[in-house]
Amino acid sequence: MPDDLKGVAARGRDKKAEAGQDVDLNQYSRQGGDWAYDEQYQGFDAAERSHLLKAGIELTDEEHAATFFQADRAVMHCKVSQPGVEVLPITEALARYEWLTDYYWRLVAPDSDKYTAQTALDLDNGYFIRALPGAKIAYPVETCLYIRTEGLAQHVHNIVIAEPESELNVITGCTTHPGVKAGLHLGISEFYVKAGARVNFTMVHNWGSDIHVRPRSAILVEEKGTFISNYILLKPVKSVQMDPLVRLTGTGAVTTLQSIVVAHPDTELDLGSRVYLEAPQTRAEVIARSVTTGGKSISRGHLVGKFPDVKAHLECQGLILSETGIIHAIPELSGEVAGVEMSHEAAVGKIAQEEIEYLMARGLDEDEAASTIVRGFLSIKIEGLPLALEEEIERTIREARKGL
Amino acid sequence: MLQIEDLWVTIEDKEVLKGINLKIQTGETHILFGKNGSGKSTLLMTLMGFARYKVVQGRILFKGTDITQMPTYERARLGLGLAFQRPPTIRGVKTLDLLQVCSGKGRPAAEALAFDYDFENFLEREINYGFSGGEIKKSELLQLLAQDPALVLLDEPESGVDLENLQMVGEIIRRLLQKERRRADRDKSGLIITHTGFILNYLNADKGHVMCDGQIACHGIPREILEHIKEQGYEECVRCLTISKE
Ligand SMILES: Nc1ncnc2c1ncn2[C@@H]1O[C@H](COP(=O)(O)OP(=O)(O)OP(=O)(O)O)[C@@H](O)[C@H]1O
Ligand SMILES: [Mg+2]
């Protein structure tokens, strides 16, 4: 990395993030396992495989346009199976392509906070994905960021580029080894959706109960580009704080950001979505649904209309399923010019008795009725999810209802 | 089939039903009239056992069993079915899922019903979300067809339905109440709330009642009652009730 970037990053070294509890970086080890490259995915036993599957990671190259697997600091697998898409470890891509510096740290500033600074100064790896101009990649690119060693801090930087008129589906599973309790994940992600391109990004977080997670993402969408993001977090985690920024800079650029999250007891979530509508006819829809079974969930959303003739809607909904959980919805709209059309709706509460009774009148008992409603609440339409993951989502929701 | 004895009901401490007595025999269809806010929906909601409706006195017998304290889903399983006046929206749950919940073993299949009544386009939609008034009514009735209850409770099934669909609503209700069978062969009963009485053009009802301020003011032949209300309004009923009290 160029020295000037390091210099900038160094300035942010001690800067606390604006939100989320502060994490002491010195508490974590930087010694990951020395995992060897694994062409055939042979180094995973049954328990580990089924655990990975819960984050949507299938450990197969079949029916994937490409796969990328990073355990701790090491890339264990990286393979492209279909034409039109390029996938490399980011360190390799940076060495190979000089032009990549035009994309590296261009949307996220290295001195944003201590987490970006730390990642800039001491990078492990990450993925570089590029859909070539006009390429319609049917199968998803599947990537996994995996913490396999207790107490590790993982520093990741990802770049996704969808060249003009390309189509790309990415499914990312972020998870920890079943035996790992504590850890820290820092992940920078920069997305470039160029003219007429379409990116569908699904991220599943399935961390351990004592893991802190600080993703830092930004997305640039150019003329008539589409960026769709789905975020799913259903399992216990210590804390996740992120506030990705989508900038719609080209005429007619569109984004849809959906998230479904569950805050378990002792979990602290602070999740936001910011969209800047900076060009004519840009559109944004943000749908955030959170459930608490005892944890705290802050759900932020901020739409900024910087151009007339833009449309955006923000929906924050929270369902409280326990006596102690907290959901804090903070929807914000800023119109910086006349002629913007932006709206939001926020609702936080427990399951409506009226809905439960409606289903009971059709023969479901109270528990069945409540789980049906929670399931509906957390259902978002996501195309191309592996069946196993869909089943896992179902199961998680059923479990979440128990013990309430 | 249904016997209501001296039923007193409060909603959030407000007395709404004040001593209802009503008996519906197997195979009979009864019509319930009454002005807005008189307590008609409250009666049906109470029959289904919803928590907000507190029975403070009296009891409800269904097929000889006292169901006054029974949870809603057990009443549904026992054979009570209600088409709501204003059902809630349930986000994220498909209408098809709900229809499948309704159609248990040996009952009409959800898809077949949707096909019969031109409702297929709604199966993938979220329950009642964005449905028009008429679509909601149709959805409610199809749920009941799938549920196939012994006692059919309909809360204004025709309100908001256009003339063309009215025909279909009429047909569905006839089917629910086995109107094609001879009276003696019917094993379903119905209690239908209506303001317009349109429904009387599609089926013969056995008895009519007028609800008035939480009490049933008069009983009679449905068509005659309807004519009466059309001519004299509900004021007459109020007067009538006052007289009968004295
Ligand atoms: N939660 C509540 N709190 C107070 N009063 C209530 C509540 N729910 C219903 N009521 C009152 O109970 C009375 C009976 O209402 P109900 O819905 O049974 O009337 P209805 O006869 O069905 O009227 P409509 O013909 O308009 O449907 C009304 O005065 C209504 O305002
Ligand atoms: Mg009513």
Side-chain angles (χ1 to χ4, degrees):
Chain A
M1 134 180 231
D3 288 343
D4 52 327
L5 267 179
K6 293 242 180 205
V8 173
R11 290 206 299 268
R13 201 179 244 151
D14 298 316
K15 202 159 144 189
K16 287 187 181 172
E18 278 172 24
Q21 67 182 95
D22 189 51
V23 179
D24 179 4
L25 300 174
N26 297 320
Q27 288 223 330
Y28 297 91
S29 138
R30 294 288 293 136
Q31 302 304 312
D34 190 13
W35 312 113
Y37 196 83
D38 188 350
E39 178 69 38
Q40 305 292 333
Y41 299 108
Q42 284 164 333
F44 301 90
D45 62 22
E48 212 175 358
R49 278 178 178 276
S50 88
H51 190 73
L52 284 163
L53 198 53
K54 290 176 186 173
I57 303 303
E58 296 162 305
L59 292 181
T60 170
D61 294 332
E62 270 168 45
E63 301 195 355
H64 291 128
T67 45
F68 174 92
F69 191 102
Q70 176 174 339
D72 297 340
R73 312 184 62 181
V75 175
M76 289 181 71
H77 191 97
C78 180
K79 187 165 162 76
V80 174
S81 308
Q82 284 188 350
V85 66
E86 210 178 345
V87 177
L88 291 169
I90 191 82
T91 50
E92 223 173 294
L94 284 166
R96 189 182 296 185
Y97 299 127
E98 210 170 304
W99 52 260
L100 197 50
T101 52
D102 292 342
Y103 297 83
Y104 188 59
W105 289 114
R106 296 298 166 184
L107 297 181
V108 177
D111 60 345
S112 304
D113 58 31
K114 61 199 267 191
Y115 310 114
T116 56
Q118 179 82 348
T119 309
L121 293 169
D122 188 14
L123 177 68
D124 292 333
N125 222 324
Y127 51 80
F128 162 77
I129 302 174
R130 178 169 174 249
L132 301 184
K136 317 277 186 213
I137 322 288
Y139 283 130
V141 173
E142 185 179 282
T143 66
C144 177
L145 300 165
Y146 187 40
I147 297 181
R148 215 180 190 186
T149 301
E150 177 67 22
L152 181 91
Q154 184 180 49
H155 303 168
V156 174
H157 195 134
N158 309 309
I159 292 181
V160 176
I161 302 172
E163 296 289 358
E165 304 298 329
S166 63
E167 281 179 19
L168 177 67
N169 292 299
V170 179
I171 296 178
T172 292
C174 300
T175 185
T176 43
H177 186 278
V180 169
K181 296 281 167 291
L184 169 67
H185 172 88
L186 306 179
I188 315 301
S189 297
E190 297 175 291
F191 288 77
Y192 297 86
V193 182
K194 298 199 182 168
R198 182 186 177 88
V199 172
N200 192 323
F201 180 70
T202 298
M203 178 157 76
V204 182
H205 273 180
N206 196 357
W207 304 102
S209 57
D210 205 11
I211 307 284
H212 292 282
V213 185
R214 296 291 180 273
R216 297 292 179 257
S217 308
I219 299 97
L220 190 77
V221 189
E222 296 180 357
E223 194 175 340
K224 293 212 173 86
T226 302
F227 179 74
I228 298 168
S229 148
N230 305 297
Y231 176 62
I232 301 166
L233 170 99
L234 302 173
K235 291 287 168 65
V237 57
K238 193 75 199 174
S239 77
V240 181
Q241 184 270 317
M242 62 180 179
D243 198 13
L245 169 65
V246 181
R247 293 181 52 202
L248 304 175
T249 60
T251 303
V254 174
T255 191
T256 302
L257 311 172
Q258 311 188 88
S259 59
I260 53 173
V261 305
V262 177
H264 292 263
D266 293 324
T267 289
E268 225 182 283
L269 305 177
D270 188 328
L271 308 172
S273 293
R274 285 170 297 159
V275 181
Y276 292 177
L277 299 107
E278 303 177 20
Q281 289 140 41
T282 49
R283 304 273 180 270
E285 186 177 25
V286 177
I287 299 170
R289 303 241 169 96
S290 56
V291 169
T292 174
T293 63
K296 182 174 181 185
S297 171
I298 300 175
S299 176
R300 301 173 196 271
H302 192 180
L303 303 175
V304 183
K306 293 171 180 278
F307 212 92
D309 186 26
V310 302
K311 264 190 201 155
H313 184 69
L314 170 64
E315 185 185 311
C316 293
Q317 287 182 330
L319 201 52
I320 301 172
L321 297 183
S322 67
E323 291 300 317
T324 54
I326 294 175
I327 293 179
H328 187 171
I330 313 176
E332 284 184 84
L333 305 177
S334 331
E336 298 184 355
V337 288
V340 299
E341 193 181 321
M342 300 193 297
S343 56
H344 75 71
E345 64 189 275
V348 173
K350 52 182 189 167
I351 301 181
Q353 182 67 17
E354 202 195 3
E355 293 177 29
I356 292 189
E357 290 185 329
Y358 185 49
L359 295 179
M360 284 171 70
R362 302 298 179 234
L364 293 184
D365 68 30
E366 189 161 357
D367 256 15
E368 292 165 338
S371 357
T372 302
I373 292 162
V374 174
R375 214 162 35 235
F377 182 81
L378 290 179
S379 78
I380 49 177
K381 284 188 193 82
I382 303 176
E383 283 159 32
L385 273 195
L387 190 63
L389 176 56
E390 265 179 32
E391 285 168 1
E392 177 55 25
I393 292 172
E394 280 279 305
R395 187 161 48 238
T396 311
I397 291 165
R398 271 203 305 277
E399 278 167 14
R401 267 287 308 166
K402 280 186 208 154
L404 297 175
Chain B
M1 172 85 67
L2 180 75
Q3 190 166 345
I4 302 172
E5 297 173 356
D6 189 30
L7 190 68
W8 293 70
V9 172
T10 60
I11 306 173
E12 279 150 34
D13 294 331
K14 181 185 173 205
E15 227 170 45
V16 180
L17 298 186
K18 305 165 186 174
I20 302 286
N21 289 290
L22 186 68
K23 201 167 181 173
I24 302 178
Q25 304 289 0
T26 301
E28 282 182 356
T29 300
H30 290 214
I31 306 289
L32 188 56
F33 300 99
K35 65 181 199 183
N36 296 137
S38 57
K40 303 179 299 297
S41 295
T42 302
L43 177 61
L44 297 202
M45 302 295 237
T46 306
L47 292 178
M48 284 315 296
F50 297 142
R52 273 184 351 131
Y53 304 82
K54 300 254 178 323
V55 175
V56 288
Q57 194 179 313
R59 58 179 195 157
I60 305 163
L61 300 175
F62 177 63
K63 292 181 181 166
T65 311
D66 186 338
I67 60 163
T68 318
Q69 301 302 330
M70 195 181 265
T72 297
Y73 69 93
E74 282 181 25
R75 301 185 196 208
R77 290 174 188 178
L78 210 59
L80 278 102
L82 167 66
F84 287 63
Q85 181 178 9
R86 276 188 303 266
T89 295
I90 302 184
R91 296 301 308 270
V93 184
K94 287 183 205 162
T95 303
L96 176 62
D97 295 345
L98 182 59
L99 275 173
Q100 280 169 340
V101 163
C102 295
S103 75
K105 234 188 233 149
R107 301 195 209 125
E111 288 89 346
L113 286 173
F115 179 80
D116 287 352
Y117 296 101
D118 196 18
F119 200 66
E120 288 159 304
N121 291 338
F122 294 85
L123 295 181
E124 291 297 311
R125 285 179 56 176
E126 297 166 71
I127 298 170
N128 297 326
Y129 184 63
F131 282 25
S132 75
E135 289 161 358
I136 284 181
K137 296 293 166 186
K138 195 155 153 188
S139 173
E140 288 297 300
L141 288 173
L142 291 188
Q143 288 170 48
L144 286 201
L145 272 180
Q147 226 178 328
D148 197 22
L151 178 62
V152 176
L153 306 169
L154 306 176
D155 198 341
E156 299 188 24
E158 84 281 38
S159 76
V161 178
D162 66 36
L163 287 174
E164 213 170 297
N165 277 294
L166 209 53
Q167 169 82 23
M168 190 185 284
V169 163
E171 274 171 35
I172 296 177
I173 296 174
R174 288 185 60 81
R175 182 166 161 189
L176 279 168
L177 293 169
Q178 302 171 324
K179 291 296 183 189
E180 74 287 359
R181 296 191 191 178
R182 288 193 331 206
R183 181 180 304 256
D185 296 336
R186 292 178 197 149
D187 45 27
K188 312 281 184 192
S189 309
L191 178 57
I192 306 176
I193 297 175
T194 178
H195 286 295
T196 64
F198 278 152
I199 216 65
L200 296 174
N201 300 333
Y202 295 93
L203 47 86
N204 283 316
D206 303 281
K207 282 185 186 144
H209 313 271
V210 182
M211 178 85 84
C212 193
D213 190 24
Q215 292 179 305
I216 289 182
C218 83
H219 311 271
I221 297 166
R223 278 195 179 280
E224 287 181 3
I225 294 181
L226 184 66
E227 287 311 312
H228 217 82
I229 295 167
K230 274 184 185 161
E231 280 165 26
Q232 326 224 354
Y234 283 110
E235 289 316 308
E236 180 65 15
C237 301
V238 177
R239 204 179 57 83
C240 189
L241 183 69
T242 323
I243 291 167
S244 66
K245 258 189 196 164
E246 281 161 0

